[in-house]
Each structure stands twice: as C-alpha cells, then as structure tokens.
Amino acid sequence: VRIQSLERGRRQRRLAEEKRELQQRDVDEEKAALRIQAAQRGKMGRKQAECRRQERENQRLQQEMENSRITSQQLAEEQAHREVQAAIKLQAFQRGNYGRRKATDIRQQKKEKEEANQAAIMIQRNV
C-alpha cells in the first residue's frame, strides 16, 4: 500500500509537471503569436500611413498644378533648374575634396622638406 501510494504521488507530480509545461508552452506560443500579430499590424499600419501620405502629396501636387496652371514648359524649366543646382552642389563637393587633398599634399611636402633640412643640419653639425 505504501509503495502504491508513493507511485501514485510520483505519477501525479509528473502529470502536474507535464500539465504546467503544456500550459507554459501554450502561454509562450500565445505571446509569440501576439508579438507576430502586433508586428504585422504595425507593418500594415505603416504601409497604410505611407499610402495616405502619398495620396495627400499627389493631391497637393495636383491642386498646385491646377491652381497655378503650370505648363509643361515651366515644369521642364523647373526640372532643369533643379538639375543645374544639383550639378553645382556636386561640383562644389568635388572642389572641396580636391582642395583638401591638395592642402594635405602641400603639408606633407613641407613636412618632408623640413625633415630633410633637419637631417642636413644634423649632418653638418656632426662634420
């Protein structure tokens, strides 16, 4: 009777542990599902918000075109102006890079010349 009682107790504890593990697994799966659902809702929300922003922007541009009666030539001129401005910025960027590179080279040459002069002075002192 005692052995049977011990065995029943072990079996009940094992079943209880298995039940707890199943419940924990269910809770973990539910949490994971909620995280996935939340991520998906966020993704869909961002996509919808982007669509709304794009629609508003298109409506705004359309309204501007209707209000100002911009002709295709004016649009082409504006696009050309933007391209020229972009080219000017690129040129300025390149000039800056070239100038910095040139200044670095000049500093390096001065440093090498100074080192050579110092070496010559040291040689002359030793002679």
Side-chain angles (χ1 to χ4, degrees), residues 42-119:
K43 183 178 178 182
M44 289 173 55
R46 287 187 295 277
K47 188 175 183 180
Q48 289 173 349
E50 180 60 32
C51 286
R52 285 192 302 268
R53 272 193 297 274
Q54 198 67 26
E55 279 182 24
R56 282 194 304 266
E57 180 66 19
N58 289 340
Q59 288 174 354
R60 186 186 64 78
L61 291 174
Q62 218 170 23
Q63 188 66 29
E64 282 182 11
M65 287 178 63
E66 289 174 6
N67 289 342
S68 63
R69 302 277 188 230
I70 296 176
T71 65
S72 61
Q73 184 177 359
Q74 288 172 325
L75 288 173
E77 288 174 2
E78 185 178 326
Q79 180 64 26
H81 177 71
R82 287 185 194 143
E83 289 175 2
V84 167
Q85 292 301 315
I88 289 171
K89 283 185 180 183
L90 287 173
Q91 290 169 352
F93 182 73
Q94 284 300 105
R95 283 193 308 272
N97 283 341
Y98 175 76
R100 285 187 290 278
R101 194 176 317 118
K102 190 171 182 179
T104 301
D105 290 343
I106 290 172
R107 280 194 295 272
Q108 184 66 28
Q109 288 173 357
K110 283 183 179 179
K111 183 179 177 182
E112 290 172 359
K113 186 175 180 181
E114 182 63 31
E115 288 174 357
N117 284 342
Q118 290 296 327

Side-chain angles (χ1 to χ4, degrees), residues 11-25:
R11 191 175 320 134
Q12 290 300 320
R13 284 189 295 277
R14 186 173 53 233
L15 289 174
E17 179 63 28
E18 288 174 2
K19 187 176 180 180
R20 277 194 299 272
E21 287 176 2
L22 283 175
Q23 287 175 343
Q24 184 61 38
R25 200 173 309 140

Side-chain angles (χ1 to χ4, degrees), residues 23-40:
Q23 287 175 343
Q24 184 61 38
R25 200 173 309 140
D26 288 345
V27 168
D28 290 344
E29 287 175 0
E30 188 174 329
K31 285 181 181 179
L34 288 175
R35 281 194 301 266
I36 291 170
Q37 291 169 355
Q40 186 62 26

